[in-house]
Amino acid sequence: MASPLNVLMVGTGEYTTGFVGGGASGSDKKVGVVGLSMFDLRRRGKVGKLGMVGVNGTKFPAIREHLNKNITQVYNNLDTSFDSFPADNAKDPESYKAAIDALQPGDAITIFTPDTTHYPIALYAIERKIHVMITKPAVKELAHHIALLEAAEKHGVYVYIEHHKRFDPAYADAKHRAKNLGDFNYFYSYMSQPKSQLQTFAAWAGIDSDISYYLNSHHVDICDSMVSQLGYVPVKVSASASTGVAVSLGCHEKTEDTISLLVHWQKEDDATKHATGVYTASWTAPQKAGVHSNQYFHYLAQGGEIRIDQAKRGYDVAEDSAGQLMWYNPFYMKYAPDEDGNFAGQSGYGYISMEKFVDGCRAVNAGTLTPRDLDAKGLPTLRNTIATTAILEAGRRSINENREVKIERKNGEWRLV
């Protein structure tokens, strides 16, 4: 039986702990995703030691109190203990190095930090033979993606990109059905979050990254996973951005509100077959839309079409305290305890994504699978997400340089021109 996996969680914010601005997040991640999933995976014997590292160690006492109140006391005294870096009285933007140095080869880290930090943190871990999970987007530049892939192959570690939408049952079913619908023709997606998220991301929004990297990364990856199996690759990208709202709310002057990517796809073995993808993302949606994230897409193929609206799933709740109708998504993270009081969200696609990574790492450590075997399974590995990084960077460059950006792939090598 594979040994439990020791995991260091890099980043202490909303997605890891649900702790934002001194208290529980106001989003649909009030107790986080990464931390809760890892604490439960430890209860189930799949995870061993846990650690957490951030920049500001003075936050840890409040984070521990938050986790104790909202997890331990809710789920049958679920153990939420972890080693923390830096010390509770210290601040250190490079504390991740000491935390990773304390690990052993075959241990793992999760990276849920601002986009510009993904590459240096991941590379530091990979070079020390540590498995890595990175939140989407993997990195902001195609060159960095390729460099990480080369390093991962050299050191024999598993690098997984946390594209949890791949495990949404409807999206996974759509990918399976797309195989039998013939040639790809058109894809349109929209994903948004309310203006309040700009407060959560004020430290980096428009400075270190943009809304396309943050949200378009979901549907660009979903589309790629659906059409790459049919032999399609992206060949050129043009992008457009809306501005004004985020800046009026106090964000950096370069912060865009909404970004749309227009991506041209081509079938590799038949240059006469082309398709179009349009991906739109916004973080200036209304505050009281009833959902934290609007998310839907339309896929058109030669032999049929697929439409998915994953914002309103036939489950709405009206509460006087909310003052509006709310559509919740327990299919992502189910926070309601089971009949024995234990956490019961193992079937949520947010949790499944975490467990897939842990299982993959343990299999590699046990010698029953290699990272290449995991690539072959179609999981969102570093190798299987190159096109997504290429498209996202091409979109950013298209806006910055006011031009169409081409994506070339020759002999397995990718580049932007």
Side-chain angles (χ1 to χ4, degrees):
M1 183 176 179
S3 299
L5 181 72
N6 298 325
V7 180
L8 171 71
M9 296 171 276
V10 184
T12 63
E14 179 180 51
Y15 209 85
T16 298
T17 66
F19 187 83
V20 175
S25 166
S27 77
D28 58 348
K29 309 177 187 71
K30 289 179 174 58
V31 292
V33 175
V34 185
L36 177 55
S37 298
M38 292 300 166
F39 297 140
D40 188 68
L41 286 165
R42 179 169 60 185
R43 178 183 69 87
R44 295 172 55 203
K46 290 192 172 188
V47 165
K49 295 179 180 178
L50 284 172
M52 195 180 297
V53 56
V55 172
N56 186 353
T58 65
K59 291 182 179 180
F60 282 121
I63 288 173
R64 286 188 167 91
E65 182 180 350
H66 160 75
L67 296 176
N68 177 66
K69 176 183 177 182
N70 296 293
I71 295 180
T72 302
Q73 294 180 30
V74 172
Y75 301 114
N76 260 352
N77 293 314
L78 180 61
D79 181 10
T80 57
S81 63
F82 59 91
D83 296 327
S84 58
F85 302 82
D88 289 0
N89 61 353
K91 295 181 181 180
D92 181 4
E94 295 200 333
S95 57
Y96 71 87
K97 293 181 178 178
I100 291 172
D101 288 343
L103 300 175
Q104 297 296 318
D107 290 347
I109 68 170
T110 62
I111 301 174
F112 287 79
T113 59
D115 296 352
T116 52
T117 66
H118 295 179
Y119 176 68
I121 296 172
L123 185 61
Y124 192 87
I126 290 168
E127 289 176 340
R128 285 151 184 81
K129 301 186 184 301
I130 304 298
H131 304 298
V132 178
M133 171 196 280
I134 312 174
T135 185
K136 51 76 198 162
V139 286
K140 292 182 65 181
E141 298 177 20
L142 179 60
H144 285 168
H145 196 120
I146 293 169
L148 288 181
L149 184 57
E150 292 172 348
E153 289 186 332
K154 176 182 177 181
H155 295 285
V157 297
Y158 180 35
V159 182
Y160 172 101
I161 312 307
E162 206 279 307
H163 282 292
H164 53 259
K165 291 301 296 180
R166 289 201 187 197
F167 305 107
D168 182 314
Y171 281 50
D173 189 74
K175 176 186 175 183
H176 176 72
R177 292 180 186 278
K179 290 190 292 186
N180 301 314
L181 292 180
D183 286 326
F184 171 38
N185 192 270
Y186 173 77
F187 185 100
Y188 167 72
S189 65
Y190 175 75
M191 195 164 189
S192 70
Q193 290 189 353
K195 301 179 187 72
S196 56
Q197 285 296 89
L198 288 169
Q199 297 174 335
T200 300
F201 304 137
W204 59 264
I207 304 169
D208 291 335
S209 195
D210 61 40
I211 186 56
S212 184
Y213 277 114
Y214 178 57
L215 284 187
N216 270 332
S217 49
H218 279 296
H219 283 112
V220 169
D221 174 72
I222 288 298
C223 181
D224 177 54
S225 72
M226 292 173 70
V227 306
S228 59
Q229 64 187 351
L230 305 175
Y232 283 84
V233 294
V235 293
K236 55 184 178 179
V237 180
S238 56
S240 179
S242 306
T243 58
V245 177
V247 174
S248 72
L249 295 173
C251 291
H252 188 272
E253 61 183 9
K254 292 184 178 180
T255 309
E256 292 122 344
D257 304 333
T258 304
I259 293 177
S260 293
L261 307 178
L262 175 64
V263 181
H264 298 262
W265 297 79
Q266 181 177 301
K267 199 164 189 178
E268 275 198 297
D269 60 2
D270 187 348
T272 67
K273 293 185 176 180
H274 299 263
T276 301
V278 182
Y279 315 90
T280 297
S282 177
W283 47 18
T284 56
Q287 296 283 61
K288 293 189 176 183
V291 294
H292 179 68
S293 179
N294 261 299
Q295 44 187 294
Y296 48 82
F297 76 76
H298 174 210
Y299 176 80
L300 177 65
Q302 179 184 6
E305 65 182 350
I306 299 169
R307 296 176 186 269
I308 295 181
D309 183 340
Q310 290 300 73
K312 299 170 183 175
R313 304 173 184 233
Y315 174 44
D316 56 78
V317 178
E319 295 181 83
D320 288 341
S321 60
Q324 65 178 106
L325 198 63
M326 297 291 295
W327 286 268
Y328 292 111
N329 183 8
F331 309 101
Y332 165 57
M333 282 295 285
K334 176 177 172 289
Y335 291 114
D338 67 13
E339 64 277 9
D340 295 317
N342 293 315
F343 174 71
Q346 294 84 5
S347 62
Y349 59 85
Y351 185 102
I352 288 171
S353 181
M354 300 289 151
E355 188 170 12
K356 292 283 186 185
F357 172 65
V358 169
D359 288 346
C361 294
R362 295 177 74 210
V364 171
N365 289 347
T368 57
L369 290 175
T370 66
R372 281 286 192 166
D373 293 330
L374 294 164
D375 289 336
K377 288 178 178 288
L379 292 162
T381 64
L382 195 60
R383 179 174 297 282
N384 292 341
T385 54
I386 297 175
T388 296
T389 297
I391 290 169
L392 293 172
E393 185 190 354
R396 184 67 260 166
R397 288 174 58 174
S398 173
I399 293 171
N400 290 349
E401 300 168 17
N402 194 29
R403 68 179 180 91
E404 186 175 74
V405 177
K406 293 183 179 180
I407 301 173
E408 288 188 353
R409 184 187 182 200
K410 294 181 179 178
N411 301 318
E413 299 290 328
W414 295 72
R415 72 186 188 111
L416 303 183
V417 292

